[in-house]
Amino acid sequence: MTEQTTTPSSDAPLTVVTAVLHRVRLPLVHTFRTSSHAKSHLEHVLVELHASDGTVGWGEIASPSAPYYCPDTVGTSWLVAEQHLLPTLLGTELSGPRDASATWSRVRGHQFAKAGVDAAVWTLHSARTGRPLAELLGGTRTEVVAGVSLGIEDTLDELLAQVQHHVDLGYPRVKLKIAPGWDVEPVRVVREAFGDLALHVDANGAYSGSEEHLAVLRRLDDFGLTMIEQPFAPRNWLTSARFAAEVDTPVCLDESVEELDDLRTMLALRAGSVLNIKVSRMGGLTAAVAAHDLAREHGVDVWCGGMHEFGIGRAANVALSSLPGFTLPSDVSSWDKYYARDVVVDGVRADRGVVAVPTRPGVGFEVDPDTLAEHRLDQLTLRA
């Protein structure tokens, strides 16, 4: 299960001859609740690709189990990867990882499945060339700053305890999940308790454009937040643009921006001034780098969001976060914030809120075959 780190010719065409899907379930060390649901474990699909020269690459399909964050689920992503993405990729000669998405260009949506396969092609290319993933993507940093995302708790005291724990670990930014009825008061008590802590909130689209909801959200303007993330439903562009013009706090979009055309809409409407770039939501590292470049061109701040990835997806997020436009703390906190065991050995760790960018080729970490075997629910192999 270990990655190949040999350095064959970087100019040789890349052909994927075998693909293996692994459906893996890991328990969370702490139940995580958002405006839509709570979860105590996560199932993700790991994508293992083998090239014709024997090198191996890994990606992660970090789909939710239920269609609350987005339409994609673990089940739909597995089906699309098996029946539509991998069959067109296998046996196709690629000049580089950016060519992979062209093999499934007729497939609409299903960004999470695309993201996992796309990332696996990138790490495969990294393993073949012996160059770190961050370098291949255009990264310029050796370290990135990490923030943490905290869910909705049962009580304010429990929330304060969670914030205190992560502040003590040195994280410089804390994101609070909010929802109608859990918004102004949690933000107020955290701000009062932690002074000038970099703090932002994420609603995951839980608020409507009603005057009642808008009035509540406007009150958050008083707390010096770094941003209000995705306050409205993904397609509610006009309310987001109206709200962004009314408040001083920057509005960040997440679920609204799945493709570059969505980012162009955000820019044209001024529906937000910050972009959360998630590899999974945008369909892969190729699209995420393109979004970074376009946002940077227009002076939009970006940061890398997460989907509670296992070690493979988390490592890819760190590599992406090393690009120069990622000027805000990203959701690349230590793996053990979420899991007692990870699918990679000695994975991503934050030291006082700072994460070292992996320098090993491929994923940057060794995939742990024991964890994979113990927590795997299903497996499928496809060949060219």
Side-chain angles (χ1 to χ4, degrees):
M1 293 293 180
T2 58
E3 296 173 274
Q4 302 291 324
T5 56
T6 55
T7 56
S9 171
S10 60
D11 296 326
L14 170 62
T15 305
V16 179
V17 295
T18 304
V20 186
L21 297 177
H22 308 262
R23 183 167 178 163
V24 178
R25 174 186 288 186
L26 293 182
L28 289 166
V29 297
H30 184 79
T31 298
F32 193 86
R33 189 191 310 166
T34 69
S35 58
S36 61
H37 65 294
K39 47 198 172 186
S40 59
H41 67 268
L42 289 177
E43 290 182 16
H44 289 170
V45 177
L46 305 182
V47 182
E48 177 186 359
L49 300 182
H50 296 251
S52 54
D53 60 15
T55 49
V56 180
W58 289 85
E60 181 172 339
I61 300 175
S63 304
S65 294
Y68 303 141
Y69 170 82
C70 64
D72 305 53
T73 67
V74 176
T76 62
S77 293
W78 178 286
L79 183 149
V80 168
E82 174 192 355
Q83 297 188 11
H84 301 286
L85 305 185
L86 293 173
T88 61
L89 175 67
L90 287 167
T92 300
E93 187 175 285
L94 309 175
S95 62
R98 286 184 172 83
D99 290 349
S101 59
T103 68
W104 56 72
S105 61
R106 292 184 300 166
V107 178
R108 296 186 179 183
H110 301 287
Q111 302 292 72
F112 280 71
K114 292 175 181 177
V117 179
D118 177 82
V121 175
W122 273 99
T123 61
L124 180 58
H125 180 63
S126 172
R128 293 177 78 241
T129 60
R131 295 172 61 192
L133 178 60
E135 177 187 315
L136 290 173
L137 295 174
T140 57
R141 297 188 182 92
T142 59
E143 297 178 331
V144 298
V145 179
V148 292
S149 176
L150 301 183
I152 295 171
E153 299 290 343
D154 291 331
T155 68
L156 293 174
D157 286 343
E158 290 176 89
L159 175 63
L160 288 171
Q162 283 293 316
V163 176
Q164 185 68 64
H165 173 68
H166 290 93
V167 168
D168 290 344
L169 290 175
Y171 288 104
R173 183 272 280 166
V174 170
K175 175 170 81 171
L176 305 179
K177 295 290 186 177
I178 62 171
W182 180 272
D183 36 46
V184 174
E185 188 62 9
V187 172
R188 183 188 65 78
V189 298
V190 171
R191 176 56 78 212
E192 289 180 354
F194 294 95
D196 60 357
L197 172 69
L199 186 66
H200 92 250
V201 297
D202 180 13
N204 292 113
Y207 294 82
S208 71
S210 70
E211 284 305 317
E212 179 184 0
H213 279 184
L214 287 169
V216 170
L217 291 170
R218 290 188 196 104
R219 292 175 62 189
L220 297 176
D221 217 15
D222 298 332
F223 297 107
L225 302 175
T226 58
M227 68 189 80
I228 299 172
E229 184 180 352
Q230 198 64 51
F232 311 108
R235 300 301 118 198
N236 198 348
W237 292 103
L238 298 182
T239 300
S240 187
R242 171 190 167 191
F243 179 70
E246 293 175 345
V247 295
D248 294 326
T249 306
V251 172
C252 171
L253 294 188
D254 174 357
E255 290 96 323
S256 292
V257 181
E258 296 182 354
E259 301 177 356
L260 286 183
D261 282 342
D262 294 327
L263 177 53
R264 295 185 182 101
T265 299
M266 167 183 155
L267 294 169
L269 294 178
R270 299 182 180 178
S273 57
V274 181
L275 176 64
N276 173 351
I277 297 180
K278 287 181 178 171
V279 175
S280 295
R281 191 193 73 241
M282 297 215 67
L285 288 166
T286 303
V289 171
H292 159 275
D293 295 346
L294 181 59
R296 193 178 185 211
E297 177 185 338
H298 288 269
V300 170
D301 291 325
V302 301
W303 57 284
C304 180
M307 293 298 299
H308 297 163
E309 286 88 352
F310 302 165
I312 292 169
R314 190 172 298 271
N317 288 347
V318 173
L320 179 69
S321 300
S322 71
L323 270 68
F326 286 87
T327 55
L328 300 169
S330 293
D331 282 344
V332 290
S333 52
S334 294
W335 64 270
D336 55 0
K337 176 184 183 298
Y338 299 104
Y339 305 106
R341 289 180 63 182
D342 199 357
V343 297
V344 299
V345 179
D346 297 325
V348 172
R349 285 193 178 276
D351 181 8
R352 306 303 298 174
V354 176
V355 175
V357 177
T359 56
R360 288 179 52 185
V363 171
F365 301 95
E366 180 183 346
V367 176
D368 185 349
D370 294 333
T371 300
L372 205 58
E374 180 179 344
H375 294 277
R376 183 168 45 218
L377 303 179
D378 201 359
Q379 182 175 334
L380 175 72
T381 300
L382 300 171
R383 293 183 173 86

